[in-house]
Amino acid sequence: MNLQSNDFELFELPVGFALDRAQLDERWKALQREVHPDRHAAADAQTQRQAMQWSVRINEAYQRLKDPLQRAAYLCELHGAPIQAENNTAMPAAFLMQQMEWREALDDATTAAQLDDMADEVAAARQRMLADLQQTADVQRDWPALAGQVRALMFVERFARDVSGRLDQLGQ
């Protein structure tokens, strides 16, 4: 193992959006068993420090790979197409119109049923977007397009959190 390996190499997975979650989880457990700091508690300070570095590195990689949005963003970074969400907010007009309609609907929603319907609609859109991410990453291998899709999904996930927050306010 090498601290400089990319996350996919570290977990011995093919580089791509689609992955076997059970395989990822099993490899994470195996890696943690191997390097967990508790296993090296009786070792010298340098070995303990290295175990801690490895444990942190493995956990960070695991968190990145298990989350589809983070995994897609990481693939973009690996292939030279950084997300740059804070600098690049350009979106297609149709997507922006959908976002405005959703925001207005959220502002107008007064019942849990309305918010539940909205949450269902957003969840369905998210699933479609994830399927598009997989197609763009694993079939087309179009990293700049993937970066744009990741930025769009970031908007959708933020909106989903806002809907969930409103549901919480209504006591759901």
Side-chain angles (χ1 to χ4, degrees), residues 11-64:
F11 280 82
E12 298 175 352
L13 295 169
V15 177
F17 183 77
L19 60 75
D20 181 336
R21 179 60 191 267
Q23 184 181 2
L24 174 67
D25 292 347
E26 189 58 39
R27 181 70 178 136
W28 175 74
K29 290 174 190 171
L31 288 169
Q32 281 299 348
R33 277 191 303 271
E34 186 177 325
V35 303
H36 196 277
D38 290 348
R39 185 167 182 208
H40 303 279
D44 61 80
Q46 180 180 353
T47 301
Q48 289 178 8
R49 191 171 41 258
Q50 287 174 335
M52 181 61 73
Q53 288 174 329
W54 269 109
S55 184
V56 167
R57 171 71 177 94
I58 290 165
N59 283 329
E60 287 174 347
Y62 177 69
Q63 294 303 318
R64 199 168 18 249

Side-chain angles (χ1 to χ4, degrees), residues 4-169:
Q4 304 308 315
S5 297
N6 74 46
D7 295 354
F8 295 97
E9 293 167 345
L10 183 62
F11 280 82
E12 298 175 352
L13 295 169
V15 177
F17 183 77
L19 60 75
D20 181 336
R21 179 60 191 267
Q23 184 181 2
L24 174 67
D25 292 347
E26 189 58 39
R27 181 70 178 136
W28 175 74
K29 290 174 190 171
L31 288 169
Q32 281 299 348
R33 277 191 303 271
E34 186 177 325
V35 303
H36 196 277
D38 290 348
R39 185 167 182 208
H40 303 279
D44 61 80
Q46 180 180 353
T47 301
Q48 289 178 8
R49 191 171 41 258
Q50 287 174 335
M52 181 61 73
Q53 288 174 329
W54 269 109
S55 184
V56 167
R57 171 71 177 94
I58 290 165
N59 283 329
E60 287 174 347
Y62 177 69
Q63 294 303 318
R64 199 168 18 249
L65 291 178
K66 79 175 187 173
D67 179 85
L69 182 60
Q70 289 185 42
R71 184 170 59 250
Y74 184 65
L75 282 167
C76 290
E77 296 287 335
L78 284 178
H79 291 93
I83 301 305
Q84 298 176 327
E86 53 287 329
N87 300 332
N88 186 347
T89 57
M91 293 288 156
F95 178 80
L96 293 174
M97 287 301 296
Q98 176 67 64
Q99 293 296 302
M100 288 175 26
E101 289 171 13
W102 279 352
R103 288 281 168 200
E104 288 175 12
L106 180 59
D107 289 343
D108 294 342
T110 57
T111 68
Q114 290 172 317
L115 292 168
D116 282 335
D117 289 346
M118 188 175 299
D120 291 344
E121 181 181 344
V122 172
R126 181 181 185 274
Q127 286 307 113
R128 286 189 304 275
M129 293 174 85
L130 288 172
D132 291 345
L133 287 176
Q134 182 174 348
Q135 176 72 20
T136 302
D138 294 344
V139 177
Q140 298 167 353
R141 303 184 63 76
D142 184 344
W143 311 116
L146 183 65
Q149 290 173 322
V150 167
R151 286 190 298 273
L153 185 54
M154 291 169 74
F155 275 88
V156 170
E157 290 202 348
R158 189 174 315 119
F159 183 73
R161 287 190 301 273
D162 292 347
V163 171
S164 180
R166 281 287 304 281
L167 272 167
D168 290 346
Q169 288 175 350

